[in-house]
């Protein structure tokens, strides 16, 4: 157990540092510290998502009995991924810090004495995401590893596959950060993000109830009455933020496609740094 936790603790921060150094020092790239941090954090999130989704597919497809069958990869990947959620809280703050500096906010442009105010601002802005990560480590991890008793791995595998929406979310955030909202890539990725988030996150819990109802030969609408209140409460608490983030994605998609016929605003020169600047749009906070 400790060796798997240690492997995850090395892998995710190590991949972040390696990616950042490559983007900063490879000839032909030589990105700034802020750009390298932001893109590297999104890259690590996408890699973790693909690994989790692959593990989830292997687990779910290997369980013939969705209640009784278990798979060794379930516990192993949970242990491996726990350090990611701890690391990602730090990585999200670093992204927030550098975005503030790019936008010229005083709290980030001023010196280390303002780190505390930037941290408080970050916690207010990303409270739901930070809470989600904390709950994953402090609640979902011990429940999945110590209380599941080797049963129900099919449902755990299905929940792993919720991460399939993360790569498109990360790419969307990168495109928004670098003012590429007018590109075809952003529109295609926006449509893909909308579909994958709806299928793999919003429909996830109704599907789990449907699968259990089919297994137990009970109607779908009676499943909440047959399972324990702890299961219903857990599903409700996990689904609520997904619905909120999906509403943000829908709002962003609506703005994107209703303005697709308009010509993008002309860039205005910025003599101070040599870059062209377009008005930024708010981004969704889904992960």
């Amino acid at each position: 157990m400790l060796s798997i936790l240690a492997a995850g603790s090395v892998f995710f921060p190590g991949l972040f540092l390696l990616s950042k150094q490559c983007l900063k020092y490879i000839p032909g790239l030589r990105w700034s510290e802020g750009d390298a941090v932001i893109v590297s954090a999104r890259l690590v999130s996408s890699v973790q998502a693909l690994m989790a989704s692959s593990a989830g597919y292997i687990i779910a497809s290997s369980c013939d009995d969705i209640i009784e069958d278990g798979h060794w990869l379930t516990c192993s990947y949970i242990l491996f991924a726990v350090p990611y959620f701890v690391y990602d809280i730090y990585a999200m703050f670093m992204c927030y810090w550098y975005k503030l500096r790019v936008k010229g906010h005083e709290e980030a442009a001023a010196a280390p004495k303002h780190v505390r105010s930037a941290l408080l601002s970050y916690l207010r802005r990303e409270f739901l995401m930070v809470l989600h990560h904390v709950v994953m480590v402090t609640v979902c991890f011990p429940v999945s590893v110590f209380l599941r008793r080797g049963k129900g791995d099919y449902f755990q595998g299905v929940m792993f596959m919720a991460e399939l929406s993360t790569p498109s979310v990360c790419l969307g955030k990168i495109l928004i950060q670098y003012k590429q909202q007018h590109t075809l890539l952003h529109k295609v990725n926006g449509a893909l993000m909308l579909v994958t988030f709806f299928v793999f996150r919003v429909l996830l819990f109704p599907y789990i109830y449907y699968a259990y109802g089919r297994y137990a030969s009970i109607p779908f609408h009676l499943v909440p009455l047959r399972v324990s209140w702890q299961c219903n409460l857990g599903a409700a608490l996990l689904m609520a933020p997904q619905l909120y983030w999906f509403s943000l994605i829908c709002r962003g998609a609506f703005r994107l496609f209703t303005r697709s016929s308009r010509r993008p605003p002309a860039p205005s020169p910025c003599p101070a740094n040599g870059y062209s600047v377009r008005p930024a749009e708010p981004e969704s906070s889904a992960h």
Side-chain angles (χ1 to χ4, degrees), residues 209-221:
Y209 276 68
Y210 164 77
Y212 179 79
R214 186 177 59 177
Y215 172 84
S217 300
I218 58 178
F220 172 77
H221 66 279

Side-chain angles (χ1 to χ4, degrees), residues 101-160:
R101 297 187 65 179
V102 168
K103 294 176 182 179
H105 288 211
E106 288 184 8
E107 60 182 354
K113 64 181 181 179
H114 288 286
V115 170
R116 182 178 178 181
S117 60
L119 178 59
L120 293 175
S121 176
Y122 157 72
L123 291 175
R124 286 194 299 267
R125 178 183 174 88
E126 300 292 346
F127 173 77
L128 189 59
M129 184 65 71
V130 173
L131 178 63
H132 170 266
H133 280 40
V134 171
V135 169
M136 292 295 291
V137 174
T138 60
V139 179
C140 296
F141 162 63
V143 168
S144 299
V145 173
F146 300 112
L147 299 181
R148 66 185 180 87
R149 299 174 182 175
K151 294 185 177 182
D153 282 7
Y154 173 83
F155 297 110
Q156 188 68 65
V158 170
M159 293 187 70
F160 282 167

Side-chain angles (χ1 to χ4, degrees), residues 128 131-132 135-136 139-140 159 205 209 229-245:
L128 189 59
L131 178 63
H132 170 266
V135 169
M136 292 295 291
V139 179
C140 296
M159 293 187 70
F205 296 99
Y209 276 68
W229 67 268
Q230 294 94 333
C231 291
N232 289 323
L233 178 61
L237 292 176
L238 289 173
M239 188 174 183
Q242 312 305 327
L243 292 174
Y244 171 71
W245 289 323

Side-chain angles (χ1 to χ4, degrees), residues 25-276:
Y25 296 112
I26 288 181
L29 293 178
R30 298 191 180 279
W31 287 13
S32 68
E33 176 79 12
D35 290 340
V37 165
I38 292 171
V39 173
S40 296
R42 307 304 185 203
L43 173 64
V44 175
S45 294
S46 298
V47 169
Q48 193 282 140
L50 293 174
M51 293 175 66
S53 302
S54 300
Y57 176 78
I58 293 171
I59 294 166
S61 61
S62 300
C63 295
D64 295 324
D65 188 306
I66 65 174
I67 299 298
E68 299 297 331
D69 286 355
H71 196 285
W72 66 268
L73 188 56
T74 305
C75 184
S76 296
Y77 191 78
I78 291 172
L79 290 168
F80 182 74
V82 162
Y84 164 79
F85 291 98
V86 179
Y87 140 82
D88 197 46
I89 294 175
Y90 166 78
M92 288 191 300
F93 172 69
M94 294 303 298
C95 291
Y96 182 71
W97 171 262
Y98 282 109
K99 283 192 289 185
L100 286 180
R101 297 187 65 179
V102 168
K103 294 176 182 179
H105 288 211
E106 288 184 8
E107 60 182 354
K113 64 181 181 179
H114 288 286
V115 170
R116 182 178 178 181
S117 60
L119 178 59
L120 293 175
S121 176
Y122 157 72
L123 291 175
R124 286 194 299 267
R125 178 183 174 88
E126 300 292 346
F127 173 77
L128 189 59
M129 184 65 71
V130 173
L131 178 63
H132 170 266
H133 280 40
V134 171
V135 169
M136 292 295 291
V137 174
T138 60
V139 179
C140 296
F141 162 63
V143 168
S144 299
V145 173
F146 300 112
L147 299 181
R148 66 185 180 87
R149 299 174 182 175
K151 294 185 177 182
D153 282 7
Y154 173 83
F155 297 110
Q156 188 68 65
V158 170
M159 293 187 70
F160 282 167
M161 288 192 284
E163 292 290 342
L164 273 172
S165 63
T166 298
S168 58
V169 173
C170 291
L171 178 57
K173 288 185 175 183
I174 292 174
L175 293 174
I176 290 174
Q177 177 67 23
Y178 297 104
K179 314 298 185 293
Q180 298 300 308
Q181 297 95 319
H182 60 284
T183 63
L184 177 61
L185 175 60
H186 183 68
K187 294 178 175 62
V188 172
N189 182 72
L192 179 63
M193 177 172 60
L194 189 68
V195 172
T196 55
F197 200 96
F198 178 72
V199 172
F200 292 103
R201 287 185 181 264
V202 176
L203 293 184
L204 173 69
F205 296 99
Y207 171 76
I208 288 175
Y209 276 68
Y210 164 77
Y212 179 79
R214 186 177 59 177
Y215 172 84
S217 300
I218 58 178
F220 172 77
H221 66 279
L222 293 180
V223 173
L225 302 177
R226 299 292 182 90
V227 301
S228 67
W229 67 268
Q230 294 94 333
C231 291
N232 289 323
L233 178 61
L237 292 176
L238 289 173
M239 188 174 183
Q242 312 305 327
L243 292 174
Y244 171 71
W245 289 323
F246 183 67
S247 70
L248 296 182
I249 292 174
C250 289
R251 286 166 53 190
F254 178 77
R255 289 195 301 268
L256 174 66
F257 289 105
T258 54
R259 291 182 299 183
S260 60
S261 60
R262 300 180 185 178
R263 186 176 180 178
S268 57
C270 181
N273 56 24
Y275 294 106
S276 296

